[in-house]
Structures are given as C-alpha cells and as structure tokens.
Amino acid sequence: MRRAGSLANTAMGPTRIGDVRPSHLVSTGGIGAIVDLPAMSVVVCGLNAWSPEKAAPITEPRLLEAVRRALGPQVRQLRAAPSDPSESDDPWARNGVPVMPFPRWARCPRCYRLGPLDPPGQFELVHRWGRRPDRAKWVHSTCPRQTQTKAVNRKACLPARFLVVCDDGHMDDFPYVEFVHHGLPCEGPQLTMRDTSSTLSPRVVVTCTEKHPSDPVSRNIQDAAGREGWASLPRCRGRHPHLQRFEDYGKPLHLMVLGASNLWFSVTASALHLPHGLGLVDVVAANWALLSAQPGPEVLQLVIDQAQNLASLRDLPVGEVWECVQSLKAAAGPVTSENGPDADDLLGAEWRLLARPTTDKQDDDFRAEPVPVPAGYAGLLDQVVQVSRLREVRALVGFTRNSSPERGDLRPGNGVPLSVGPPTWALAVEQRGEGVFLQLHEDKVAKWEGLANDHPRVVALRDAYNRWRANRQLAQSPGFPIARYLLLHTLSHLLVRQISLECGYSSASIRERLYTGVPGDPHAGFLLSTAASDSEGTLGGLVALAQPVHLRR
C-alpha cells in the first residue's frame, strides 16, 4: 500500500506524526481539512508548503485541461502526494504532506486545563519513538496532578473540540476567553473545560479563575449554539489556518464541533483514461484552450510537434486538425466551464467511447467489451459493457466549508483557495480497476421522464433543488434532469447493494459514474467501478458479474 507521510512544523523541526492514503488527501481530508490522528488533530497545509519536486507527475490531458479551467492556465502539472521514505532517519531529509496542529487549543484530561499551544511552555510535544509516529502527543507540562510523572508517560492532551467558521470558508479557534467574559478583556486567563452529563442538553462548561479564584466566571458552550448564540460570537477574522493567513473580514461566525462532516467538502474533478485511438474531435476538445489560441496552421503544427499531450495528432494532416478547430469555434467551442458544466465536459468523451466500445480503442489502462444483454431485459438495457481495465484520475481543485458545492461545479462561489496565489500544480491520485457499464434505451427513458416530471415527488425534489440554489445566491438551473438523475442514481445504488454481496467488494468501495448528458444531447447510462491504488488494479470480481447469467439474477 502506498502511503503519504505527514510532517508537523514545530519548534523542534519537522516531525513525522502519521500516515494517510493518497486517495484520502483528495476525497476525505485534503488541503485545509482537519485530520484526526491518534493523539492530536492537524490541518493539512496549502500547496505553498509542499515539495512538488518529490511527487511523481500524473499524466491525464483531459483532466489537466479541466483543472486549468478551474484554477487558471498557470497550472502545469498534476502530481501525486509526496511519500515519506521510512528508510530515512533524518527528519529534514524526509518529504511528505506538511501539516500543523489545529485547533491550537488543547485540554489536559487530568486537570482539565484549557489553553493555547502558543506560546510554548504550558504544553509540550513529546515524540521519542522514531518509527512510531502514532505515539506523538501533546502533554500538559505544568499539570499539578502529574508532577511526579515523566513527560513521556503523561496523558496525551486532547484537542479542544470547538471551532468557528464563516459562510465564506474561514476557520478559526473558538474564542474561549472572549466567550467566557462576554467580550470583556482578561489579562491572564486561567481556563478549564469540564463536561457534565445532562438528560436535557449538553453541558460543556468553560471556567476562568484568573480574577476571582473563589468566584470563577463560567459559561456553557451551548450559549454559542444556534442563531441566537452565533450573535454573541465575535466577528470573523478571515483566517485560513492551512495558509497561515489572516484577512480583514467581519462576517458572522458559526459554532462548529471538531469532526463535523460539514467542516470540509472537497471540490474534485475526475476523468477516466481514454486510449489514444479517440476521435479527432475528442482530442481537440480535451486540449481546447491550447489549440484554439493558435493563429494559423503553421503555428498549430509547431505546437503539435512540441506538446506531449498532442502526440496522437502528429500522424494527421495539420489541415484536418485546423479545420476541426475552426468548426468547433463556429459552434462556440466544445462544452466548457464557460458554456456548460465541467463534469459534462469530461463525461462526454467517456460516454462516446463506452457507448460504442471497439477493440481499436484499447490499451493497458482501458479495455471495454460489450456482452449480450440478459434475457428478458432487452426492453430496458441497450447494451452491457465489461470494462476489464480502467484508470481513473481525480484532482483536488478546491474545497468549501459549511455548505457543499453543487455537483460538477469546480468553481463554487464559497470555494477556499488551496495556496497563497495561483497554484502551478494540482494534487491528484490515480487508481486502476474494473467496472460494468450499463446503457439504457434512450427512447424508453425519455418517455418515462416525460411521465415522471409532474410526479409530486419529482416536483418536490425540483423545488428543494431550486431553494438550495436560491439560498446560495445561484441562478436557477432548469436544465438539470431531476427525474433522469433520480432514475439512474436509484438503479445504480440498487445494483451496488446487490452486487456487493457477490463480487467480493464492499458497497463503499464501488463507485458510480452517472452519464445524463446535457440539454439537447441526453444520455442514460452509468458505470459501476472499483479501483485500487497499485499498478495492477483489481481482481476481476466485479467485471465478471456483467455476464448475462450473473447480471440477469
């Protein structure tokens, strides 16, 4: 298993404190996310703190083009997460994923002291086990209940589990001192945090004994919850801890619990590898930004000769390529983020290949072969395709907090940047595996869609979707096929639940890829796939179920 090591920037220098899977850094806990380690929590730093020269480049032209549309033309490469070679004992020689402790407040489990990690003195990082990074921990160096215990044997301090975020994605430590004293100053706060059980509501009480040890000031964290509680919090400081940056801001803050699922939503783009045997239109569309900018056939030929991504065009007459570029220009270009969803731009070429699989469009990373439709299902299924080899690449282009981005939107309005300044590379992960592609009869789906569009449940879903967009100040999107998406999404999940009982993979490891098309060019199909991060891929348990005798049941 390939893993990416983490580094923590502390006063003692870089220290290895854990491992995560490369796919975790793109989908679950990437840049700007809080990662829970055995004895501490950390935030993954922005791209400026990474060492891209130590990370292997990943080649996927179609995906790189989509990332450039989202992040800018200065993005030159997709790269994997840098690994941390365990054979190196020199902490400065290692490279991995840079992280820093966050929240910057901790609580002692013995004396309940609550305080910041900075300035040093109150809490100490203990990490003396070399190849056991999971034992790194923060301890309370002045704990009155552990005075006779060596630092290495002291109880690990717990990260303070409350944060504040704003609607624009800023995240900060909870203002404990201001909160306890109702906004009044406190010269030398002495805080404790205690949990008490209650059948009515949670009671997490923060107490300060600095001014009146015999008559401390206390306040329940619940006072900061809800809309009325948010009004009692100070204004947002515009903090991005992953970039170590503050901005002049002032929007309202919301209380958030450490580990909440809405602390981090990834914004990712993914693409399947397609063989070089693709049609001319597909290759030109995948490299549209570069090819459409050329002034004439002569310059275009020079670009094709120099660009590695355009190697498949070198055997074609430049006049034919130039004519294709001009025809696409006349049609306002291929589907891009400017005239259509980014996801559909990537899915369109995949649909054209999966819906018409041929042996001349195969290589070591893509093999697809149609098989007979199971008896009795010819009226529903147009075709079934065994995808015995596939390679999927996913790239992280941003993230949001508090509210998730819309499906396929690579530039959400509340997106948080991955770096200080425009990034020159993007984090990506590649996985190889297998899949089953099912294509439904378009005429049958269109007929059902016409009947279902006025169904009360579909109407309710459409109204909820429109309210969701209105709440985020997004323009209404009448073109989103609610009924078609509901049909494909439901059918794919029913199949995932049943297939997982037979193919040897859990339902969580089987991913769906829906193909609904765009207005004027609808599709009806989906790909169920599973993948692994090693170079060999998977074992064939899923693709075998595409055989009629298995798929029919």
Side-chain angles (χ1 to χ4, degrees), residues 93-438:
R94 298 173 184 163
N95 64 283
V97 178
V99 299
M100 60 181 295
F102 194 86
R104 302 293 296 181
W105 284 67
R107 186 186 72 153
C108 177
R110 297 299 304 276
C111 68
Y112 307 107
R113 173 68 68 192
L114 175 68
L117 300 180
D118 302 312
Q122 184 173 197
F123 296 96
E124 174 188 356
L125 177 64
V126 177
H127 187 17
R128 301 178 181 176
W129 293 277
R131 299 183 186 276
R132 290 297 305 272
D134 57 297
R135 294 191 177 183
K137 61 183 179 179
W138 291 93
V139 299
H140 187 194
S141 56
T142 59
C143 178
R145 296 188 179 183
Q146 302 181 88
T147 55
Q148 304 301 319
T149 307
K150 294 182 179 180
V152 70
N153 296 324
R154 293 190 177 190
K155 293 287 186 179
C157 290
L158 306 174
R161 67 176 188 267
F162 297 102
L163 306 167
V164 286
V165 299
C166 80
D167 290 333
D168 287 342
H170 298 105
M171 180 173 67
D172 207 345
D173 290 294
F174 186 85
Y176 295 101
V177 177
E178 295 88 342
F179 175 73
V180 170
H181 293 280
H182 297 269
L184 299 176
C186 181
E187 295 299 330
Q190 300 293 319
L191 301 181
T192 59
M193 177 186 287
R194 293 176 180 267
D195 299 353
T196 57
S197 59
S198 172
T199 58
L200 298 178
S201 61
R203 293 185 59 83
V204 182
V205 178
V206 179
T207 303
C208 181
T209 59
E210 186 272 331
K211 291 186 177 180
H212 305 286
S214 59
D215 185 20
V217 179
S218 300
R219 196 173 184 187
N220 191 341
I221 288 290
Q222 191 180 11
D223 292 348
R227 295 188 180 277
E228 293 183 0
W230 297 343
S232 67
L233 296 174
R235 291 292 179 170
C236 176
R237 297 190 297 171
R239 185 182 184 190
H240 288 310
H242 67 294
L243 303 179
Q244 301 184 41
R245 189 175 69 182
F246 288 83
E247 302 172 349
D248 290 332
Y249 223 62
K251 285 197 172 184
L253 288 171
H254 311 308
L255 175 68
M256 193 80 68
V257 179
L258 184 65
S261 59
N262 59 338
L263 260 180
W264 192 83
F265 296 99
S266 63
V267 179
T268 61
S270 68
L272 299 181
H273 164 79
L274 301 183
H276 290 302
L278 291 175
L280 173 59
V281 174
D282 294 329
V283 178
V284 171
N287 299 275
W288 180 248
L290 176 62
L291 297 178
S292 62
Q294 306 312 316
E298 296 79 9
V299 180
L300 181 63
Q301 183 66 64
L302 294 175
V303 172
I304 293 175
D305 292 340
Q306 295 295 326
Q308 182 180 0
N309 296 342
L310 303 176
S312 59
L313 301 180
R314 292 171 188 168
D315 295 333
L316 297 176
V318 67
E320 184 177 344
V321 180
W322 177 254
E323 183 179 349
C324 178
V325 173
Q326 296 306 306
S327 63
L328 285 177
K329 279 186 177 181
V335 177
T336 67
S337 59
E338 299 299 329
N339 58 18
D342 294 309
D344 291 323
D345 187 25
L346 292 170
L347 295 175
E350 297 171 14
W351 169 264
R352 289 190 289 271
L353 183 59
L354 290 170
R356 295 186 296 274
T358 59
T359 55
D360 64 321
K361 294 184 178 180
Q362 296 187 2
D363 59 18
D364 292 340
D365 286 330
F366 184 87
R367 295 176 190 170
E369 179 182 358
V371 295
V373 174
Y377 289 91
L380 171 66
L381 297 177
D382 191 351
Q383 71 167 347
V384 178
V385 179
Q386 286 182 315
V387 186
S388 57
R389 295 284 290 180
L390 62 83
R391 171 176 168 264
E392 181 189 9
V393 181
R394 279 183 292 164
L396 180 68
V397 298
F399 66 92
T400 64
R401 302 195 196 277
N402 211 23
S403 61
S404 62
E406 187 179 13
R407 171 181 174 267
D409 185 4
L410 300 185
R411 294 185 292 184
N414 61 335
V416 182
L418 299 176
S419 63
V420 178
T424 58
W425 64 284
L427 177 64
V429 59
E430 60 179 343
Q431 295 181 313
R432 290 173 170 82
E434 58 182 291
V436 176
F437 174 73
L438 301 180

Side-chain angles (χ1 to χ4, degrees), residues 432-477:
R432 290 173 170 82
E434 58 182 291
V436 176
F437 174 73
L438 301 180
Q439 180 179 355
L440 280 62
H441 285 293
E442 174 56 36
D443 55 344
K444 299 290 181 64
V445 174
K447 181 179 179 180
W448 176 88
E449 189 177 20
L451 297 174
N453 272 330
D454 296 327
H455 190 279
R457 182 163 297 179
V458 175
V459 171
L461 287 172
R462 187 181 299 112
D463 291 343
Y465 175 63
N466 290 333
R467 288 195 301 271
W468 184 90
R469 295 184 64 88
N471 291 337
R472 288 155 180 79
Q473 288 79 47
L474 299 174
Q476 296 301 308
S477 178

